[in-house]
Amino acid sequence: MSMATRTDPQSSGPHPADGHDLIRVHGARVNNLKDVSIEIPKRRLTVFTGVSGSGKSSLVFNTIAAESQRLINETYSAFVQGFMPTLARPEVDVLDGLTTAIIVDQQRMGADPRSTVGTATDANAMLRILFSRLGKPHIGSPKAFSFNIASVSGAGAVTLERGGQTVKERRSFSITGGMCPRCEGRGAVSDIDLTQLYDDSKSLAEGALTIPGYTTGGWNYRLYSESGFVDPDKPIRKYTKKELRDFLHHEPVRMKIAGINMTYEGLVLRIQKSMLSKDREGMQPHIRAFVDRAVTFTVCPECDGTRLSEGARSSKIRRISIADACAMQISDLAEWVRGLDEPSVAPLLTALQQTLDSFVEIGLGYLSLDRSAGTLSGGEAQRVKMIRHLGSSLTDVTYVFDEPTIGLHPHDIQRMNALLLRLRDKGNTVLVVEHKPETIAIADHVVDLGPGAGTGGGTVCFEGSVDGLRAGGTITGRHFDDRAAVKETVRKPTGTLEIRGATANNLRDVDVDVPLGVLVVVTGVAGSGKSSLVHGSLVNAPGPAGAGVVVVDQGAIRGSRRSNPATYSGLLDPIRKAFAKANGVKPALFSANSEGACPNCNGAGVVYTDLAMMAGVASVCEECEGKRFEASVLEYRLGGRDISEVLAMSVAEAEEFFGAGEARTPAAHTVLKRLADVGLGYLSLGQPLTTLSGGERQRLKLATHMAEKGGVYVLDEPTTGLHLADVEQLLGLLDRLVDSGKSVIVIEHHQAVMAHADWIIDLGPGAGHDGGRIVFEGTPADLVADRSTLTGEHLAAYVGA
């Protein structure tokens, strides 16, 4: 019987399986959420909006996506779960109708120097197989083309049991890897300036070492002074050749120092392992400053920065080596792969072609596969993670995106919107946390959280269509159609910063004069060379050009759950001193990480119970009741408050508290005023940094940098994570910085910031090798009138010109 004529006796009503078309959340209380209950339609595009800190990420990532991942992990055996991250169940009463969640967030990719765009996306793995099959001359397996695998060979005797007898046989092995032996696959070599490591006129006992963390009396110091290889009382310049070699280059050896087993190795080897093996961007500021002083990084002369051995570079397909392929712009590499017609590797070529085409489609065709993953911006990293999902055959999956338009020019946002709609149209549920009105406008369903941030947020203010949001009267609805006007009059520059012959990355011998004393906005499509121009030619410039430049970038704030806005901003030091002075005791008592810590929870405020492969349990400490300090410390008061009550205050309350009266502390008040200026008045001083949203972290970083004595401020997309209403406040802050005599240079895509600028430098016209040129310099009004560039067209449409 054909399918058309077959009847089902139970087909009169809807099938029970079709009734599960909602994700239901009831009683969500994660972070600042206040018993949120909500129903989200499946197989639709839902956008979550609200001011920064209103609870969007808490609802989408920490509740819905976290529970979905936890439930999936629970389907594996206990043995497998032991190797997976353990996730606790979110604080929520009911979570119904969940589907498998795929999270595409803005977490920066690994900052290891050996991690590249190619290794992060499988493109390199496919290229290695391709060259191992088609490359001439043939040099070995795919390992021979990997810069992460060193060539190794060895020989020796092995003992076997055979026929009841013990037999010894000689065996040898060899692995051909593609790693350059000189730079060990990093592409750069480092030379260390020994004068920055120690003062050779002093002995170790006199404190000769000048390396951070090698203080006299510390373990790092005692390792050398008590090793027995050198005389600790003899000046380093008087060491014999053997002593100097043992001091600087001795191979690792186990020894006992003060009764403790330690590994001794030469100082240069130790510095290379502990500091130089890390990516510069991932270092703490004081370590980075030392490395910049002590180490010169140069392109490896043996592999010319390709990271690959001579053998790997000698094998070619149509005169192209794997090093040449990885250095190509991905859009060009896609064309080259398309031209290869080899039936023997057809499935591989098809898969590689799809991956490379996905890069181009998503707007990352300007990258190359050998680009270090640590140098990608947050938006680029997020889009690289999207690539593996674009060609996926999965349906009925929940895709969760965190501001996918970050780092995108208005021209590229249209392309991103099309991709989100394509994922939805395949039958997937797409959840997007977003601030840009262009993306909110394409939503099938909008959830607006607020009304404020922090403790003032955490409730659902609106749920419904985009038109309903416009008319809804919430902060998002009121600001949805806001358009900043182009400035009538612009400030006059007080001088210029000359950049001449800039050639970093894709820049084409660029000459430009950057005006000082005004608000300068650098624009252009993603990959046009904005960061290369500002960071390469200004921030990292040697001599006076790079001096006095304060950079506020999108790098993550590093801090544990013990870190909070008070410790990060330096606010806690004056507060501790004020408490100590008022009570005649030591400042260390007022630190939850030092002498004042509750002995039961060590100042964490919670006690963790590790349950192996199950999620650990954190319970509030019974001794201090979560206050983190021991009882005797809480008896000391300042202005009628103890230290735990002060840390529970919001920034706005604390600003008032330390501004006048008995607790008046000018140093603390100054820091608090800066935090309030960047719109963080609602944050509590003791809130763990791990609970802050992306926008809050960047503004905290900005407030901290405002204390630095710099003449030029460089801000890298400061509107990241900011609500439409917060952008107005940011513009006011930028104006105050300029009016106080600073020069502010902003790399930005947001049209409101462009319209507010005094001077615009537009790069383009395209991305990668189609960019790298200055296509416009002038005022925003001139850019709108000209409409000669992509930025000009979009800005003109934005301001309604």
Side-chain angles (χ1 to χ4, degrees):
M1 189 186 292
S2 74
M3 291 296 291
T5 58
R6 210 170 95 190
T7 57
D8 187 343
Q10 296 182 347
S11 63
S12 53
H15 196 285
D18 296 332
H20 301 278
D21 52 2
L22 291 172
I23 296 174
R24 296 192 309 121
V25 182
H26 283 283
R29 297 177 298 281
V30 175
N31 295 334
N32 67 334
L33 296 179
K34 296 171 181 170
D35 259 337
V36 166
S37 296
I38 190 170
E39 294 186 342
I40 300 162
K42 286 187 187 175
R43 294 176 287 281
R44 297 290 181 272
L45 173 61
T46 301
V47 175
F48 294 79
T49 65
V51 296
S52 179
S54 60
K56 303 181 298 298
S57 296
S58 299
L59 177 61
V60 179
F61 289 92
N62 302 349
T63 305
I64 298 171
E67 178 65 355
S68 174
Q69 290 218 312
R70 188 186 72 83
L71 292 172
I72 291 166
N73 288 1
E74 281 191 352
T75 63
Y76 297 108
S77 68
F79 173 76
V80 174
Q81 285 184 51
F83 297 97
M84 302 173 90
T86 51
L87 303 164
R89 187 180 188 280
E91 280 192 72
V92 59
D93 296 333
V94 178
L95 261 177
D96 245 6
L98 293 178
T99 65
T100 306
I102 294 176
I103 299 172
V104 189
D105 59 17
Q106 291 173 42
Q107 292 296 322
R108 292 294 178 106
M109 298 175 106
D112 187 284
R114 291 205 189 97
S115 179
T116 65
V117 169
T119 59
T121 56
D122 300 339
N124 257 40
M126 289 188 272
L127 268 181
R128 290 199 294 267
I129 299 169
L130 185 68
F131 275 85
S132 72
R133 301 292 186 273
L134 303 181
K136 297 282 189 292
H138 177 74
I139 60 164
S141 71
K143 289 180 181 176
F145 296 93
S146 170
F147 52 74
N148 287 327
I149 297 175
S151 294
V152 184
S153 61
V158 294
T159 306
L160 305 169
E161 290 287 335
R162 187 179 292 158
Q165 292 182 313
T166 302
V167 182
K168 280 197 172 181
E169 286 186 6
R170 182 172 173 76
R171 295 272 176 92
S172 63
F173 76 95
S174 69
I175 296 171
T176 305
M179 180 187 286
C180 167
R182 172 78 190 273
C183 65
E184 297 185 340
R186 288 194 176 88
V189 289
S190 53
D191 293 320
I192 296 178
D193 180 358
L194 297 179
T195 61
Q196 297 292 335
L197 304 188
Y198 54 79
D199 180 349
D200 67 355
S201 65
K202 293 180 179 176
S203 67
L204 286 173
E206 293 169 329
L209 297 184
T210 55
I211 306 162
Y214 285 68
T215 49
T216 311
W219 281 111
N220 282 335
Y221 214 99
R222 292 176 70 178
L223 185 66
Y224 294 95
S225 60
E226 299 177 25
S227 64
F229 286 116
V230 294
D231 179 355
D233 298 312
K234 186 195 233 176
I236 293 176
R237 65 170 55 152
K238 293 188 177 173
Y239 284 1
T240 62
K241 274 189 178 177
K242 182 179 184 311
E243 283 178 319
L244 196 60
R245 188 201 157 279
D246 286 343
F247 176 54
L248 294 177
H249 301 288
H250 199 290
E251 60 280 354
V253 57
R254 297 289 287 171
M255 62 169 57
K256 259 194 168 69
I257 290 178
I260 294 173
N261 285 322
M262 296 184 76
T263 300
Y264 176 90
E265 59 189 331
L267 187 63
V268 169
L269 292 179
R270 194 173 169 86
I271 293 296
Q272 282 174 333
K273 280 185 189 171
S274 64
M275 294 183 186
L276 304 191
S277 61
K278 295 176 184 156
D279 185 69
R280 182 183 173 280
E281 299 303 315
M283 295 174 183
Q284 292 172 289
H286 67 291
I287 302 286
R288 189 187 307 170
F290 163 73
V291 168
D292 288 346
R293 281 198 315 273
V295 185
T296 53
F297 290 95
T298 52
V299 172
C300 174
E302 208 158 294
C303 66
D304 198 24
T306 62
R307 310 156 184 254
L308 291 157
S309 63
E310 191 178 350
R313 301 196 309 273
S314 68
S315 182
K316 298 187 176 182
I317 302 172
R318 297 191 184 177
R319 300 192 298 282
I320 297 285
S321 71
I322 190 167
D324 300 331
C326 290
M328 279 185 194
Q329 188 166 303
I330 288 174
S331 54
D332 296 340
L333 179 60
E335 286 303 314
W336 180 74
V337 171
R338 198 172 277 116
L340 297 177
D341 182 21
E342 293 288 340
S344 61
V345 289
L348 178 67
L349 287 173
T350 304
L352 180 58
Q353 187 69 59
Q354 283 175 347
T355 300
L356 297 176
D357 286 344
S358 294
F359 270 103
V360 177
E361 187 181 355
I362 211 164
L364 293 177
Y366 59 87
L367 295 178
S368 60
L369 294 181
D370 63 2
R371 168 92 173 258
S372 287
T375 64
L376 298 178
S377 70
E380 286 172 333
Q382 187 175 22
R383 282 180 284 152
V384 165
K385 290 177 200 169
M386 276 182 79
I387 280 164
R388 63 178 62 242
H389 304 304
L390 287 185
S392 170
S393 306
L394 291 171
T395 61
D396 258 330
V397 169
T398 300
Y399 284 97
V400 186
F401 293 97
D402 188 6
E403 290 189 62
T405 58
I406 279 185
L408 289 185
H409 189 272
H411 172 69
D412 298 316
I413 289 177
Q414 297 163 359
R415 185 186 279 169
M416 177 58 73
N417 285 349
L419 290 172
L420 294 174
L421 292 171
R422 206 172 91 192
L423 283 173
R424 178 204 66 185
D425 293 345
K426 280 169 64 177
N428 297 305
T429 305
V430 182
L431 308 181
V432 183
V433 173
E434 189 51 84
H435 292 294
K436 292 270 173 69
E438 297 99 316
T439 300
I440 298 171
I442 64 164
D444 301 308
H445 189 71
V446 180
V447 178
D448 191 21
L449 284 107
T455 53
T459 59
V460 175
C461 301
F462 173 82
E463 228 187 313
S465 67
V466 177
D467 290 335
L469 176 71
R470 275 196 173 97
T474 64
I475 292 180
T476 308
R478 289 201 304 272
H479 289 272
F480 191 79
D481 293 311
D482 277 5
R483 296 292 180 265
V486 173
K487 273 186 177 173
E488 295 288 325
T489 56
V490 294
R491 303 178 185 94
K492 292 282 179 281
T494 55
T496 54
L497 246 176
E498 293 185 358
I499 295 174
R500 295 289 178 266
T503 54
N505 297 328
N506 66 331
L507 295 179
R508 303 199 178 179
D509 208 17
V510 168
D511 296 339
V512 64
D513 291 335
V514 181
L516 295 175
V518 294
L519 175 59
V520 178
V521 174
V522 181
T523 65
V525 295
S528 58
K530 304 181 296 297
S531 296
S532 302
L533 178 68
V534 175
H535 291 284
S537 308
L538 192 64
V539 176
N540 301 324
V549 176
V550 176
V551 184
V552 186
D553 60 12
Q554 292 181 34
I557 287 179
R558 284 170 176 77
S560 67
R561 75 176 313 282
R562 284 178 175 272
S563 305
N564 52 49
T567 57
Y568 183 82
S569 62
L571 170 65
L572 210 52
D573 286 338
I575 290 178
R576 282 198 293 251
K577 285 173 185 165
F579 265 96
K581 189 177 175 185
N583 294 283
V585 290
K586 290 191 297 186
L589 281 175
F590 302 100
S591 168
N593 298 327
S594 185
E595 291 181 31
C598 163
N600 187 46
C601 63
N602 294 324
V606 289
V607 177
Y608 288 100
T609 309
D610 183 13
L611 298 176
M613 81 277 180
M614 304 292 286
V617 176
S619 49
V620 175
C621 172
E622 293 176 0
E623 292 278 320
C624 64
E625 296 175 343
K627 292 180 178 175
R628 304 175 61 190
F629 295 89
E630 61 177 320
S632 59
V633 174
L634 299 179
E635 291 171 13
Y636 299 117
R637 295 185 170 262
L638 175 69
R641 304 282 186 104
D642 65 41
I643 184 69
S644 71
E645 289 171 334
V646 167
L647 289 176
M649 287 180 180
S650 69
V651 167
E653 281 178 76
E655 187 185 1
E656 198 177 313
F657 179 71
F658 288 107
E662 186 194 335
R664 186 173 177 275
T665 311
H669 187 259
T670 305
V671 178
L672 288 161
K673 188 170 186 327
R674 284 200 298 269
L675 289 169
D677 276 350
V678 296
L680 294 178
Y682 60 88
L683 276 191
S684 67
L685 303 185
Q687 184 177 337
L689 284 189
T690 49
T691 64
L692 299 190
S693 70
E696 287 168 336
R697 289 180 197 182
Q698 190 171 23
R699 283 183 285 163
L700 178 58
K701 193 188 285 190
L702 175 59
T704 307
H705 282 301
M706 281 167 65
E708 295 178 22
K709 299 284 183 279
V712 179
Y713 279 76
V714 174
L715 280 72
D716 192 352
E717 293 190 52
T719 59
T720 298
L722 286 192
H723 186 266
L724 298 161
D726 295 326
V727 172
E728 291 176 25
Q729 189 169 6
L730 175 76
L731 294 176
L733 175 66
L734 298 180
D735 279 342
R736 285 199 296 279
L737 279 173
V738 174
D739 293 340
S740 68
K742 311 283 187 195
S743 301
V744 180
I745 300 168
V746 183
I747 300 171
E748 191 51 85
H749 293 293
H750 201 294
Q751 296 101 316
V753 181
M754 295 179 202
H756 201 73
D758 298 308
W759 192 258
I760 286 184
I761 297 171
D762 193 18
L763 281 97
H769 57 47
D770 297 326
R773 292 192 290 269
I774 303 287
V775 290
F776 177 83
E777 288 177 80
T779 64
D782 292 343
L783 179 61
V784 168
D786 270 15
R787 301 191 192 205
S788 55
T789 68
L790 276 172
T791 307
E793 287 172 23
H794 283 278
L795 185 58
Y798 174 81
V799 298

